[in-house]
Amino acid sequence: MEQKKTDIDVLANGLISGDRKALSRAITLVESDNREHRQQATELLERILPHRKTSLRIGITGTPGVGKSTFIESFGLFLVKENELNVAVLAIDPTSSKTKGSILGDKTRMSELAQEKNVYIRPSPSKGSLGGVTAASMESIYLLEAAGFDTIIVETVGVGQSETAVHGMVDFFLLLIQPASGDQLQGIKRGIVEMADGIVVNKADGSLMDKAVETSKEYYQALQMMPSVRDDWRTKVMHCSALEHRNMDGIWEMIREFESKRRSSGKLLENRKLQELSWFDHSLREGLLEIMMEYDEWNTRKEEVRERIRSGQVSPFQGAEELLSKLKINLGPGN
Amino acid sequence: MEQKKTDIDVLANGLISGDRKALSRAITLVESDNREHRQQATELLERILPHRKTSLRIGITGTPGVGKSTFIESFGLFLVKENELNVAVLAIDPTSSKTKGSILGDKTRMSELAQEKNVYIRPSPSKGSLGGVTAASMESIYLLEAAGFDTIIVETVGVGQSETAVHGMVDFFLLLIQPASGDQLQGIKRGIVEMADGIVVNKADGSLMDKAVETSKEYYQALQMMPSVRDDWRTKVMHCSALEHRNMDGIWEMIREFESKRRSSGKLLENRKLQELSWFDHSLREGLLEIMMEYDEWNTRKEEVRERIRSGQVSPFQGAEELLSKLKINLGPGN
C-alpha cells in the first residue's frame, strides 16, 4: 500500500526533522503569491500544523535608530548561550519590497547571532501588501514551530499598520525606545505605547545612562495615565544596553514572568486562538473588500456617489444604502 | 406650473424657517429604521442639505460621574448668554435603547439650559446598533445646521466605539475628566486621550481644587509622550468648575483658537469632507458585512472553517482564501 511520496511530503518531513534547507524552501513557498504555490503551501501546512512545538512568540518594534538589530543580536545570543534555546528571527517590513535582496542585509546586521547553530534568521518577505506579508509571516511562524524553534522573535520596523499586525501574531509585545527627554516624541505612533507588554529603553550606557533612567521613569509615569491592554498584566518599563549586553537577563525575566502567568492561566493559548480567529475574520473582510475593489462596475458607481457626497447632495449613509441595495451575492457550489 | 407640495416639502420648509416642531419631526424621521421613513428621509435630506449654515461641531466625552451634564449646561449657557450663539445638544448613547424615554431624562438633567430660547436639546436615538445611532446623529447634525444652529454639541457616554464615532463627526473633540491622582485610571478607554483636542479637568472647586490642578499637570506631561492627532494642533489641558461656572471663557477661547486656525487654513472643511467620505466607506464596509452576515449559507461554511482553524487543521489565511474563492458578487441594474 506504499504511495509515492510527493515533493510536499519530502519537504514536510525535512522541515520537521530540522533540515534548514527544507525550512527555507518551505518559507519561500508560503511567501509566494503564485496560485500553484498557494496550493502546495496549503498541502504543506496541513501536513505540518499538527507537529508544532510549544513556542514563545515575542514581537519587537521600535523606530529606526533605536538599536533593534543590536538589541535582537544581544538578546538572541543571551537566549541561545545562557538558556540553550532555539531562536528564530522573522522580520516584517512592508517597505522591503522596494529594496529586495534584504537577506544579506539581515544577516550582516546580526552577524554574530547568525553564526549560532541554534539560530535561524529570516528577512522580511518582499511581497507588496501588508496583508500578504502578514499571512506569510504568520504561516512562517507555524513552519518554524514545526521545525522545532522554541523562541520566535518577530521584528517590525513600524511602518503603516505593521505593529498591529505583529501584535496580532505574538504572545509578548516589546517596544524598544531610546533615551530622550519627554517632549521629544521619538516618532512613536499612536497606540503603540498602549499595545506594549514591555517598554525597554535601550542605549543605557556611557553618557546616555542618566537620560535612559530618566526616560524610563517618564514612560512609567505616562503609563499610569493609560489603561492596560491585558487584564492580567501591567506594562513594565526597563532600560538596557544592547551594546554592552546589559540587563538582557532582566528583560528575559520579565517576559518569563508574563509567559508563566499566562500559560498557567490558559490565557496565552486562548489568546492565540483568538488571534487566529481574528486573522480569519480579518482576511475574510479584507478579501471581500478586495473582490469589490476589483469589480469595475462597483467602483464606477461608488465614485459617482462619492462625487455627490463631496458636493453635499447626499448624506454618506444614504449614499451607501443606495449602492448596497443593488448588490447580489452568492456562494458557488461547495466542495 | 404650481405643484402640489408634499409633506416632505412642508417639513423641509418648516425646518429651514426655524420651526422647532418641524425640526423634531425631521430628526425622528432620520432616526427611523422603517423603509418608507428612510425614503422620506432621503428626500428630506436632499432638500435641506444645500441650506446648511456654517456651524462648529464640538464633541464631548467623559466617563459617568465626571459631570458632563453640568458641564454642558454651564458651557451651553455661556455660549448662549455671553456669545449669543444658537446651541444644539445631541447625545449619542448606544445603551439608551434599553431605557427608552430618555427625553425627559435629558431635559431634566440640563433644566436651565433647556429653558433657553436659542437652545435645542435632543436625547440619544433609541436605535439598537451604534451604526444606526451614528447615521441618525450625523444626519441630525445636517438637520440642525439647516435649522440655523451655529454651535452643535455632540455628547457621548463613551460606551463601546461611540467616542470614535463622535470623533468622526465633529470638528473639535473634548475629553472631560475629573481630579484624580495619576495612578487612578478613571476608566478612560485606550485611544481616547490621544483623540482629544482638549482635555478639561472638571470639578476644580472647593476641596478638589488642588487635585484638579495637579491632574491637569499630570495629563499635560503624559501628553508629551504621545504624538498629536492633528498636524497643526497640540492637545491642550485645562481645568474648570462647571458647578461654579468657572473658566468657560478659557475653554471657549481654546476652541475658538482651534477653529479660527483650522478654518483659515481650510483644514476644518477639508476634515469634514474626509469624515464624510470615511463614513461612506465605513457604511459600505459595514453594510457589506451585514449582507454577508444575513446570508445563511455563508455563515454555515464560515463556521465550518472556524472549527478547522480552532482545531489547528488550517491556517486562518488559507481558510479565508478557500471561502472567498467560492464567492460570486454582482450589481443589479442601475437607476
Side-chain angles (χ1 to χ4, degrees):
Chain A
M1 293 291 284
E2 194 174 315
Q3 279 197 309
K4 193 173 164 264
K5 282 202 174 177
T6 65
D7 277 359
I8 293 301
D9 270 330
V10 175
L11 192 57
N13 291 337
L15 183 144
I16 292 163
S17 70
D19 175 5
R20 288 295 168 86
K21 277 193 185 155
L23 174 59
S24 291
R25 270 187 57 211
I27 294 184
T28 303
L29 193 64
V30 300
E31 286 177 356
S32 173
D33 270 333
N34 176 290
R35 184 176 291 267
E36 197 183 329
H37 290 169
R38 287 304 296 161
Q39 278 170 2
Q40 290 173 341
T42 304
E43 221 180 298
L44 175 68
L45 284 164
E46 269 172 16
R47 284 274 286 109
I48 64 92
L49 282 174
H51 296 275
R52 285 178 287 164
K53 202 177 157 174
T54 305
S55 77
L56 180 66
R57 306 171 186 168
I58 304 168
I60 295 180
T61 190
T63 47
V66 76
K68 275 197 301 298
S69 306
T70 317
F71 176 81
I72 293 172
E73 174 145 90
S74 177
F75 189 58
L77 286 169
F78 170 81
L79 295 179
V80 174
K81 291 185 172 171
E82 313 282 323
N83 296 274
E84 297 178 354
L85 292 165
N86 300 313
V87 177
V89 181
L90 286 179
I92 292 200
D93 176 1
T95 60
S96 77
S97 56
K98 288 167 197 155
T99 50
K100 297 263 180 184
S102 47
I103 298 181
L104 196 72
D106 276 47
K107 293 224 164 143
T108 309
R109 67 189 177 96
M110 297 176 201
S111 55
E112 208 184 326
L113 185 63
Q115 281 165 33
E116 285 293 321
K117 196 177 144 288
N118 293 326
V119 169
Y120 180 82
I121 299 178
R122 179 81 184 189
S124 180
S126 48
K127 275 189 179 182
S129 74
L130 180 60
V133 170
T134 302
S137 303
M138 188 85 184
E139 290 173 353
S140 297
I141 291 178
Y142 299 151
L143 297 175
L144 290 166
E145 287 170 349
F149 287 93
D150 40 39
T151 313
I152 295 163
I153 294 175
V154 187
E155 174 196 7
T156 176
V157 288
V159 174
Q161 292 296 306
S162 64
E163 275 120 339
T164 311
V166 170
H167 186 256
M169 60 178 80
V170 299
D171 305 315
F172 186 95
F173 193 69
L174 192 149
L175 170 64
L176 212 60
I177 58 175
Q178 51 189 330
S181 62
D183 46 9
Q184 293 164 258
L185 287 170
Q186 306 198 17
I188 298 162
K189 283 200 316 254
R190 298 203 285 141
I192 302 303
V193 171
E194 292 176 330
M195 268 180 359
D197 295 307
I199 296 177
V200 174
V201 186
N202 190 22
K203 304 188 184 175
D205 43 43
S207 62
L208 285 173
M209 191 66 206
D210 289 352
K211 206 160 200 177
V213 175
E214 197 189 313
T215 303
S216 64
K217 275 188 194 153
E218 284 178 343
Y219 269 86
Y220 177 78
Q221 267 153 18
L223 282 169
Q224 308 310 306
M225 300 284 135
M226 299 185 220
S228 288
V229 186
R230 325 248 191 214
D231 55 11
D232 62 349
W233 183 258
R234 195 97 184 91
T235 308
K236 286 203 175 7
V237 184
M238 17 185 86
H239 49 85
C240 79
S241 166
L243 196 70
E244 298 179 355
H245 306 289
R246 268 197 282 135
N247 205 26
M248 294 302 128
D249 50 349
I251 294 165
W252 182 231
E253 206 176 296
M254 160 178 72
I255 297 175
R256 291 283 289 172
E257 185 196 334
F258 175 94
E259 183 190 12
S260 86
K261 192 172 182 180
R262 285 173 67 87
R263 220 181 265 287
S264 63
S265 72
K267 290 238 176 196
L268 195 136
L269 289 182
E270 189 191 309
N271 184 52
R272 284 193 185 180
K273 288 281 161 220
L274 291 176
Q275 285 176 329
E276 292 195 322
L277 292 176
S278 139
W279 280 121
F280 175 57
D281 285 340
H282 180 85
S283 302
L284 281 183
R285 272 200 307 276
E286 295 300 306
L288 209 54
L289 296 177
E290 231 167 81
I291 290 173
M292 296 311 291
M293 261 185 342
E294 285 164 8
Y295 183 20
D296 291 337
E297 178 68 13
W298 176 258
N299 289 329
T300 308
R301 298 243 203 123
K302 197 172 146 183
E303 200 38 61
E304 284 164 13
V305 178
R306 283 172 71 93
E307 214 32 73
R308 282 162 57 212
I309 292 169
R310 260 192 220 102
S311 62
Q313 291 172 59
V314 68
S315 114
F317 305 96
Q318 302 197 307
E321 220 171 272
E322 185 190 313
L323 257 179
L324 289 167
S325 66
K326 308 231 159 63
L327 216 55
K328 303 258 174 297
I329 293 183
N330 58 70
L331 273 166
N335 286 325
Chain B
M1 291 290 285
E2 195 174 316
Q3 278 196 311
K4 195 176 162 257
K5 282 200 174 180
T6 65
D7 277 0
I8 294 301
D9 270 328
V10 175
L11 191 57
N13 291 338
L15 183 144
I16 292 163
S17 69
D19 176 5
R20 289 296 168 83
K21 277 193 184 155
L23 174 60
S24 292
R25 273 187 57 212
I27 294 184
T28 303
L29 193 63
V30 301
E31 285 176 356
S32 172
D33 271 334
N34 177 291
R35 185 176 292 267
E36 197 183 330
H37 290 170
R38 287 303 294 161
Q39 278 169 2
Q40 291 174 339
T42 304
E43 220 179 300
L44 175 68
L45 284 165
E46 269 171 17
R47 284 274 288 112
I48 64 93
L49 283 174
H51 296 275
R52 286 177 285 164
K53 202 179 156 173
T54 305
S55 77
L56 180 67
R57 306 171 185 167
I58 304 168
I60 296 180
T61 190
T63 47
V66 74
K68 273 196 303 299
S69 306
T70 316
F71 176 81
I72 293 172
E73 173 144 89
S74 177
F75 189 59
L77 286 170
F78 171 80
L79 295 179
V80 173
K81 291 186 174 171
E82 312 282 324
N83 296 273
E84 297 178 355
L85 293 164
N86 299 312
V87 178
V89 180
L90 287 179
I92 291 200
D93 176 2
T95 60
S96 77
S97 56
K98 288 168 196 156
T99 49
K100 297 261 182 185
S102 46
I103 298 180
L104 197 71
D106 276 46
K107 294 225 166 143
T108 309
R109 67 188 176 95
M110 297 176 202
S111 54
E112 208 182 326
L113 186 63
Q115 280 165 33
E116 286 292 321
K117 196 178 144 286
N118 293 325
V119 169
Y120 180 82
I121 300 178
R122 178 82 185 191
S124 181
S126 48
K127 277 192 179 180
S129 73
L130 180 60
V133 170
T134 302
S137 303
M138 187 84 182
E139 290 173 351
S140 297
I141 290 178
Y142 299 151
L143 298 175
L144 290 165
E145 288 170 348
F149 287 94
D150 41 38
T151 313
I152 295 164
I153 294 175
V154 188
E155 175 196 5
T156 176
V157 289
V159 174
Q161 292 295 306
S162 63
E163 275 120 339
T164 311
V166 171
H167 185 258
M169 61 178 80
V170 298
D171 306 315
F172 186 96
F173 193 67
L174 193 150
L175 169 64
L176 213 60
I177 58 176
Q178 51 189 331
S181 62
D183 46 8
Q184 292 164 259
L185 287 171
Q186 306 199 17
I188 299 163
K189 284 200 316 255
R190 297 203 287 141
I192 301 305
V193 171
E194 293 176 329
M195 268 181 356
D197 295 307
I199 298 179
V200 173
V201 187
N202 190 21
K203 302 187 185 175
D205 43 42
S207 63
L208 285 172
M209 190 67 208
D210 289 351
K211 208 162 199 177
V213 176
E214 199 189 313
T215 303
S216 63
K217 275 188 194 154
E218 284 177 344
Y219 269 86
Y220 177 78
Q221 266 152 21
L223 282 170
Q224 308 311 307
M225 300 285 136
M226 299 184 218
S228 288
V229 186
R230 325 250 190 212
D231 53 13
D232 62 348
W233 183 257
R234 196 96 185 91
T235 309
K236 287 203 175 4
V237 185
M238 18 184 86
H239 48 85
C240 79
S241 166
L243 197 68
E244 298 179 356
H245 306 290
R246 268 199 281 136
N247 204 25
M248 294 301 128
D249 51 348
I251 295 165
W252 182 231
E253 206 177 299
M254 161 177 71
I255 297 175
R256 290 284 288 173
E257 184 195 336
F258 175 94
E259 184 192 12
S260 85
K261 191 173 182 178
R262 285 172 67 86
R263 220 182 265 285
S264 63
S265 72
K267 290 237 176 196
L268 196 137
L269 289 182
E270 189 190 310
N271 184 51
R272 285 194 184 178
K273 287 281 161 219
L274 291 176
Q275 286 176 329
E276 293 194 322
L277 292 176
S278 138
W279 280 120
F280 175 56
D281 285 341
H282 180 84
S283 302
L284 281 183
R285 274 200 307 276
E286 295 302 305
L288 209 55
L289 296 177
E290 230 167 80
I291 290 174
M292 296 312 290
M293 262 183 347
E294 284 164 9
Y295 183 20
D296 291 339
E297 177 69 12
W298 175 258
N299 291 329
T300 308
R301 299 245 201 120
K302 197 172 145 182
E303 200 38 61
E304 284 164 13
V305 177
R306 283 172 70 93
E307 213 33 73
R308 282 162 58 214
I309 293 169
R310 259 192 221 102
S311 62
Q313 291 171 60
V314 68
S315 115
F317 305 96
Q318 302 197 308
E321 219 170 272
E322 186 189 313
L323 256 179
L324 289 167
S325 66
K326 307 230 160 66
L327 214 55
K328 303 256 175 297
I329 294 183
N330 57 69
L331 273 167
N335 286 327

